[in-house]
Amino acid sequence: MAKNKYSHTVLLPKTDFPMRAGLAQKEPKILEFWQSINLYEAMLKKNEAGKHFVLHDGPPYANGKIHIGHALDKTIKDIIIKSRAMTGYYTPYVPGWDCHGLPIEQALLKELKQDKKHITDVPAFRKKAREFAAKFIDLQRQGFKRLGVQGDWDDPYLTMSPRYEGITIGVFLDLIEKGYVYKGQKTITWCSHCETALADAETEYKDVGSSSIYLRFRLANPKKEVFGELDYTKPVSLAVWTTTPWTIPSNMAAAVSNTEDYAVLQDEHTKEYYVVAEKLAEEFLKNTGLDCVQAGKVAGADLVGLKYYHPLSHKENPVIWTDFVAMDTGVGIVHIAPGHGEDDFRAGKQWGLETFCPVDEKGCYTKDAGVFEGMHVFEANPLMVKKLDELGALIKEQEITHSYPHCWRCHNPIIFRATEQWFMNIDKDGLRQKLMDNLSNVKFYPAGGEERMRSMIGLRPDWCLSRQRFWGTPVTILYCKKCGKPQVDHKLFEFIKSRAMEEGSDFWFTDPVEKLMPEGYRCSCGGTEFKKETDILDVWLDSGVSWAAVLKDRGITFPADVYSEGSDQHRGWFQSSYIPSFTLEGTAPFKTILTHGMVLDQYGRPMHKSLGNSVDPEDVINKYGADILRLWVSFADYQGDVRISDEILGGPIDTYRKIRNTVRYALGNLSDYDPAQHRVPGKELAEMDRYMLGRLDSLIQEVHAGYGDFNFRRAMRAITDFCILDLSSFMLDASKDRLYTLGASSPARRSAQTVLAEIAVTLLQLMAPVLSFTAEEAWQELRKTALGRDLPQSIFLSNMPQNASLIPDVKLEEKWNKIRRVRETVQKTLEEARQKGVIGSSLEAKVIFKTSDPAVKAFLEETKTLWPEIAIVSDVEIADGEEELTVSAEHAAGQKCARCWQWKQDVGAEAAHPDLCARCACVLDKEGFVIEEEEKVGA
């Protein structure tokens, strides 16, 4: 094989930036580099005089490795922060962890092979829980850092740190002093498996199959003035429908609607009567199979005040009315058990009903339930139905599938149970309405989040703040042994706050009660002996006071600019942060709420171990690199649920290769470019290059708009299209001849390099928030060249430009957009000629334009000298035609130049270079190249 003797005279790209990324191997070294220069601190220092932008981190639970949802969440935050930091904002980012609560306590109990009731040394257990959480904090911290996330990793916020616990206790006590927190009995969601109260945000709904029953509640005093002419020797019963037979022992009333009419149905066989809502009578008969005729009608309001016999105890209970009796299902009469339902509890308070709850913390009936004592309520369901049937109360049993709440920790079905707890009053002084109204001052992405959160606040119950567990911030309340009154006293609270701020909360569990109060403290009743509360605070209050414990306590901007988490946090962390902040500070802790969806598999299914469809971010990183995961995040429509799999990652991988190859080619063509010597002034740039600066300016504006609106897809799509369409397929392709063959100092070559240098630097800066590792790798390669000698130490210590160096020329852009449209037609023509065997490479071609349009002809004549470069052909001809524009191709005349490979008729014009065109011969003479005779290489 002969080596071309002119190879050394052609200026081919040179760079150490490799085509193969090897991200899994390179990224850890880049992390080490960032660590060595203290990048996060350096980014803050660079922008310390700039405007502040604060994204406040919502804390994940410290109870396991990071999962793909964590990767999505933290990458979104990192892209936001880096994009702001690279536009001059001061961007402190303090990551945090939620360290208390049930997940950690349960995991530790499992590890210790113990049950909650066997924990006798609470301080020792809490110490182990603290160590357990710390272990996973370190594990997760490494996972987040491996993703390339920059932040204050050496000083994160931990909800179990002493000062944080002290601030949490302070917020709780402040809320009590202001009258927003009270202790009372309410019916709340309760997990009998975890043996604790649950927050509204700690429940999830699943479809389950269960027994639904229609019952007779026989009226004790059916009145003629209410029902009219009936055979009162026959029973008259309210028909009641329930899906929770186990709650019947707690029945205290039957509720009707006072605005609806009720049908009185008589059984054709037994002659007894049933009262059901007129609108639901037909459905009732269909489901029960009863053969009845309507014997009368009564207004719901007239039923109120009647009495019926409890089906188990035979006690007389009242008929009441409520506003939650629905007419879309059931019978229009609701069994009311204040001890087992939120609506029922409120109705009980309104009507003075007893809150009877014969169920203990394990979900088992107490002795007050009689024969069912000791049985778990769910296990008792079939026996309850059997008992009701034996007593003649059962009309019909059906199996139905319905949505039922489950504990989101253990995934077991929950119960509603009346207990004494500490609550925050959401309605005090119109707080609920104020919270709902103030949301209009918060910007939501997506916009639908505002109404979603407003609706949730409107419907939520009072916030249950206490939990019956060990691992958490204690409810620091003392009770007088003499009068039983909880102590609400400013001096006492200040004493507790002072200790908590200095020591954290462990003192509450270790010290005797005498040391938990100022010396000489007395109850208002004169009592001097006290006992301490043993409950802990809801972990949602822990994480919810981070605005106080992080933003305010560390002197960071408050309110934060952005809170960003999964969309499930509209009822979770966003609310638990918003409510205390607005109550105590009069403002939301955030200006903007940004939410993302959940991560699903490629088929749209949630990820579960049982399905074997979980995607571990560590596996993705080890296989493809963190930048691929980051690119996947940027292309995902993350404001809804997103999907991931190896097949789905194939798209980002392919896009990444195209971007990387474009960057590599750009760097390769800048190896000998020194801006101090070679930069061409804007007015002297070639037309194509001035046009490309206009395209670069458009890219800059589009990317800034994307990042600014949290639309990373928009930003990265613009970058990708620019790399593929504007650079690879156009400028870089069309500029090969002048970059390779015109000589190192050719004005045309230096013009291309001048613009390519600006494009390369800008492109790396624009993509850095997403492709952080690759941008840094290329940046370091640039810094080895003359072009990069003045660049900052890291790409993240530079700022993205606001504009390109030349103001876009609208007329020039219109002209070159037209050129590119014609170029597409030329490329199709060349491909057809290649397939027919007329030409091999495009450089063998002569392109012939024919047109009947004078304006088109004038345009082609004006641009004629550009077309060989633009179309990568050897010759162009313009002729008259019969259509507006036709393009054809034929083989170019002349001979092939051995150096530039164009076909020219002046090949051999220079005797010293018989196989070169005149242009190449001139370049060799000017550059002083010495040409040796061809050598034979190989066999």
Side-chain angles (χ1 to χ4, degrees):
M1 181 175 67
K3 179 182 177 182
N4 190 315
K5 62 183 178 180
Y6 299 110
S7 296
H8 67 290
T9 74
V10 178
L11 303 169
L12 295 174
K14 295 179 183 177
T15 181
D16 291 331
F17 186 74
M19 184 181 298
R20 291 184 64 85
L23 292 174
Q25 292 74 41
K26 286 178 185 169
E27 288 174 346
K29 295 178 182 176
I30 295 172
L31 288 172
E32 290 176 7
F33 166 68
W34 287 336
Q35 183 73 26
S36 71
I37 65 170
N38 294 315
L39 178 60
Y40 170 71
E41 290 80 3
M43 289 168 67
L44 291 181
K45 186 171 179 58
K46 171 181 81 80
N47 296 330
E48 60 187 353
K51 187 177 178 181
H52 287 217
F53 176 89
V54 175
L55 186 153
H56 181 46
D57 190 38
Y61 279 112
N63 67 332
K65 287 173 58 180
I66 70 167
H67 53 66
I68 196 66
H70 287 135
L72 173 70
D73 178 72
K74 281 293 192 286
T75 302
I76 287 170
K77 293 172 181 175
D78 191 55
I79 293 172
I80 293 170
I81 290 165
K82 283 174 176 168
S83 64
R84 295 306 192 277
M86 294 185 73
T87 48
Y89 284 92
Y90 181 80
T91 54
Y93 175 62
V94 182
W97 275 274
D98 206 342
C99 311
H100 292 140
L102 202 54
I104 292 168
E105 187 170 319
Q106 284 184 321
L108 182 57
L109 286 170
K110 186 177 180 181
E111 190 176 279
L112 296 173
K113 297 180 180 179
Q114 286 184 300
D115 190 76
K116 176 190 171 188
K117 64 185 178 184
H118 295 124
I119 301 300
T120 54
D121 188 344
V122 174
F125 179 80
R126 285 173 57 85
K127 182 181 179 184
K128 288 178 181 177
R130 191 177 298 278
E131 293 167 353
F132 184 91
K135 176 176 67 176
F136 284 107
I137 288 168
D138 288 336
L139 184 66
Q140 289 188 5
R141 175 167 29 208
Q142 293 310 310
F144 293 142
K145 290 171 75 172
R146 181 61 185 86
L147 286 167
V149 179
Q150 294 299 314
D152 194 355
W153 294 113
D154 294 334
D155 189 20
Y157 77 87
L158 310 177
T159 61
M160 67 179 183
S161 69
R163 188 168 181 84
Y164 194 106
E165 288 183 336
I167 291 172
T168 303
I169 288 169
V171 168
F172 173 66
L173 296 180
D174 286 347
L175 289 169
I176 292 179
E177 280 203 86
K178 289 181 179 293
Y180 285 95
V181 172
Y182 64 94
K183 187 167 190 180
Q185 187 187 50
K186 286 177 79 76
T187 300
I188 58 170
T189 48
W190 184 276
C191 179
S192 59
H193 183 268
C194 300
E195 298 180 38
T196 188
L198 296 177
D200 184 47
E202 293 173 327
T203 59
E204 58 187 11
Y205 282 79
K206 299 179 184 178
D207 286 341
V208 296
S210 65
S211 287
S212 71
I213 56 174
Y214 290 90
L215 295 178
R216 298 175 179 87
F217 280 9
R218 184 177 173 183
L219 288 172
N221 56 341
K223 297 177 180 178
K224 186 175 181 179
E225 57 266 32
V226 174
F227 294 103
E229 296 296 333
L230 299 180
D231 181 358
Y232 289 100
T233 64
K234 302 299 181 183
V236 182
S237 302
L238 303 175
V240 174
W241 178 75
T242 182
T243 58
T244 54
W246 64 268
T247 62
I248 293 299
S250 302
N251 173 263
M252 290 291 144
V256 298
S257 169
N258 66 342
T259 60
E260 297 286 344
D261 288 329
Y262 285 76
V264 181
L265 306 177
Q266 185 173 29
D267 191 307
E268 291 274 64
H269 303 290
T270 66
K271 302 304 179 181
E272 64 181 303
Y273 298 96
Y274 300 100
V275 181
V276 300
E278 192 171 43
K279 290 178 179 176
L280 294 165
E282 186 177 340
E283 188 73 13
F284 167 72
L285 295 176
K286 176 184 173 183
N287 289 337
T288 60
L290 294 175
D291 185 11
C292 294
V293 293
Q294 185 163 344
K297 183 166 81 171
V298 60
D302 292 337
L303 294 172
V304 177
L306 297 179
K307 296 291 183 71
Y308 65 90
Y309 297 115
H310 189 291
L312 295 175
S313 68
H314 215 60
K315 177 174 70 102
E316 289 189 12
N317 284 344
V319 178
I320 64 173
W321 71 265
T322 71
D323 58 4
F324 57 80
V325 176
M327 291 293 151
D328 57 351
T329 188
V331 292
I333 302 176
V334 177
H335 136 63
I336 300 295
H340 296 300
E342 292 179 32
D343 289 336
D344 297 34
F345 180 83
R346 285 194 291 271
K349 287 293 184 185
Q350 181 182 348
W351 289 90
L353 305 176
E354 178 188 355
T355 302
F356 180 57
C357 181
V359 178
D360 67 16
E361 67 275 5
K362 293 182 178 294
C364 296
Y365 286 116
T366 66
K367 63 181 180 180
D368 293 328
V371 296
F372 300 104
E373 181 183 357
M375 298 184 66
H376 192 280
V377 293
F378 294 139
E379 294 171 0
N381 254 339
L383 295 176
M384 184 68 66
V385 175
K386 183 180 178 183
K387 183 68 173 175
L388 290 166
D389 192 20
E390 291 172 354
L391 293 170
L394 183 68
I395 300 173
K396 180 75 173 180
E397 180 184 12
Q398 283 183 321
E399 282 294 316
I400 65 164
T401 299
H402 64 132
S403 184
Y404 191 83
H406 288 64
C407 173
W408 79 334
R409 310 289 186 206
C410 65
H411 307 295
N412 287 301
I414 64 172
I415 60 175
F416 288 86
R417 178 171 176 260
T419 61
E420 271 211 326
Q421 303 284 346
W422 286 92
F423 295 93
M424 181 169 177
N425 187 344
I426 304 300
D427 290 301
K428 176 179 166 57
D429 298 332
L431 177 60
R432 185 189 303 273
Q433 192 60 49
K434 291 175 185 176
L435 288 166
M436 294 165 67
D437 292 344
N438 185 66
L439 286 179
S440 60
N441 297 319
V442 178
K443 193 165 187 180
F444 284 81
Y445 292 86
E450 179 178 347
E451 190 51 44
R452 174 180 164 88
M453 190 164 166
R454 180 178 286 111
S455 174
M456 288 175 171
I457 291 172
L459 295 172
R460 69 163 296 145
D462 280 358
W463 183 357
C464 179
L465 294 173
S466 48
R467 294 293 182 273
Q468 293 64 52
R469 306 301 300 192
F470 300 128
W471 178 229
T473 305
V475 175
T476 50
I477 294 293
L478 297 175
Y479 299 91
C480 175
K481 285 187 176 182
K482 181 179 178 182
C483 68
K485 181 181 173 183
Q487 300 300 291
V488 178
D489 179 87
H490 181 72
K491 288 184 178 179
L492 173 63
F493 282 3
E494 288 302 308
F495 178 86
I496 293 172
K497 282 188 209 175
S498 176
R499 284 203 64 182
M501 288 296 286
E502 291 178 12
E503 307 172 44
S505 69
D506 282 344
F507 74 91
W508 191 261
F509 300 92
T510 57
D511 286 8
V513 70
E514 294 77 22
K515 290 189 176 181
L516 303 180
M517 66 190 82
E519 190 174 344
Y521 178 78
R522 291 174 176 271
C523 176
S524 58
C525 76
T528 57
E529 291 188 337
F530 301 90
K531 64 177 181 177
K532 53 187 172 182
E533 175 67 79
T534 57
D535 285 353
I536 62 169
L537 289 169
D538 178 16
V539 292
W540 289 102
L541 183 65
D542 271 11
S543 59
V545 304
S546 58
W547 54 268
V550 181
L551 300 180
K552 296 196 75 174
D553 192 55
R554 297 195 185 198
I556 300 172
T557 302
F558 173 81
D561 292 279
V562 176
Y563 272 38
S564 173
E565 296 296 327
S567 56
D568 57 335
Q569 297 309 317
H570 283 123
R571 68 172 184 149
W573 186 59
F574 297 149
Q575 275 197 54
S576 71
S577 301
Y578 180 40
I579 293 170
S581 173
F582 187 84
T583 304
L584 297 177
E585 301 291 332
T587 182
F590 36 68
K591 298 174 185 175
T592 296
I593 284 180
L594 171 73
T595 56
H596 58 77
M598 304 298 109
V599 183
L600 311 174
D601 71 8
Q602 62 183 325
Y603 305 110
R605 300 174 302 179
M607 294 187 180
H608 291 299
K609 289 181 181 178
S610 59
L611 290 175
N613 63 345
S614 296
V615 175
D616 188 332
E618 186 178 356
D619 292 341
V620 176
I621 290 170
N622 290 338
K623 188 174 183 180
Y624 303 119
D627 263 1
I628 298 301
L629 205 52
R630 295 176 68 93
L631 191 58
W632 163 76
V633 171
S634 74
F635 277 127
D637 185 7
Y638 66 83
Q639 292 185 359
D641 291 340
V642 298
R643 302 184 183 193
I644 189 170
S645 66
D646 276 339
E647 290 82 358
I648 290 170
L649 286 171
I653 289 168
D654 184 59
T655 298
Y656 175 83
R657 288 183 183 134
K658 291 174 181 176
I659 294 174
R660 185 179 182 90
N661 286 341
T662 302
V663 170
R664 181 173 183 269
Y665 188 80
L667 296 181
N669 280 290
L670 294 169
S671 59
D672 68 334
Y673 176 73
D674 184 343
Q677 300 179 43
H678 305 139
R679 185 178 182 279
V680 177
K683 292 181 180 179
E684 298 175 22
L685 292 170
E687 246 191 42
M688 181 196 295
D689 300 331
R690 283 187 281 125
Y691 166 74
M692 284 304 297
L693 285 180
R695 296 296 300 148
L696 179 65
D697 189 80
S698 296
L699 173 68
I700 292 169
Q701 306 316 314
E702 182 71 2
V703 171
H704 276 301
Y707 285 142
D709 213 29
F710 311 115
N711 190 339
F712 315 139
R713 184 188 231 176
R714 178 181 178 183
M716 282 310 298
R717 177 53 59 201
I719 290 169
T720 302
D721 288 348
F722 185 81
C723 286
I724 296 171
L725 302 177
D726 289 294
L727 288 178
S728 293
S729 298
F730 181 59
M731 181 195 176
L732 297 179
D733 196 31
S735 299
K736 284 179 182 176
D737 183 62
R738 56 178 171 150
L739 286 169
Y740 294 179
T741 69
L742 293 190
S745 299
S746 160
R749 181 171 185 268
R750 293 305 187 195
S751 173
Q753 286 184 309
T754 297
V755 172
L756 197 54
E758 183 173 344
I759 288 174
V761 172
T762 301
L763 190 60
L764 293 180
Q765 291 170 321
L766 295 178
M767 71 188 217
V770 175
L771 295 175
S772 298
F773 292 97
T774 302
E776 188 69 86
E777 179 192 358
W779 189 263
Q780 297 309 320
E781 287 301 324
L782 265 183
R783 292 184 70 232
K784 297 175 185 175
T785 68
L787 171 61
R789 64 179 160 229
D790 295 325
L791 293 178
Q793 192 174 17
S794 166
I795 192 167
F796 295 106
L797 301 180
S798 70
N799 279 345
M800 293 185 279
Q802 295 298 314
N803 297 96
S805 59
L806 273 187
I807 298 173
D809 184 327
V810 176
K811 289 186 176 179
L812 183 69
E813 186 170 353
E814 290 174 352
K815 174 183 176 179
W816 277 84
N817 285 342
K818 186 174 181 179
I819 287 173
R820 290 180 70 173
R821 288 194 295 272
V822 174
R823 183 176 184 261
E824 289 178 8
T825 304
V826 172
Q827 288 176 317
K828 291 177 183 176
T829 301
L830 292 173
E831 183 56 33
E832 291 169 1
R834 187 179 294 110
Q835 291 177 1
K836 293 176 182 177
V838 176
I839 60 172
S841 77
S842 63
L843 285 173
E844 295 179 18
K846 172 185 177 181
V847 170
I848 301 153
F849 295 108
K850 291 184 178 181
T851 179
S852 60
D853 189 328
V856 173
K857 187 172 185 180
F859 168 73
L860 293 170
E861 291 288 359
E862 179 193 352
T863 58
K864 183 176 181 180
T865 57
L866 300 172
W867 280 105
E869 178 184 11
I870 295 167
I872 318 175
V873 295
S874 291
D875 198 8
V876 171
E877 179 183 329
I878 300 169
D880 292 328
E882 297 180 357
E883 300 176 32
E884 183 179 355
L885 180 63
T886 60
V887 181
S888 60
E890 61 184 38
H891 201 289
Q895 299 178 54
K896 179 180 178 180
C897 173
R899 182 170 175 272
C900 70
W901 295 4
Q902 293 188 31
W903 286 70
K904 298 291 185 181
Q905 297 190 44
D906 60 2
V907 172
E910 294 288 333
H913 305 290
D915 53 355
L916 299 186
C917 66
R919 187 191 67 172
C920 284
C922 180
V923 170
L924 260 60
D925 291 343
K926 185 176 180 180
E927 300 287 332
F929 285 115
V930 176
I931 307 301
E932 302 292 338
E933 286 302 311
E934 290 184 2
E935 302 175 7
K936 293 291 182 181
V937 181

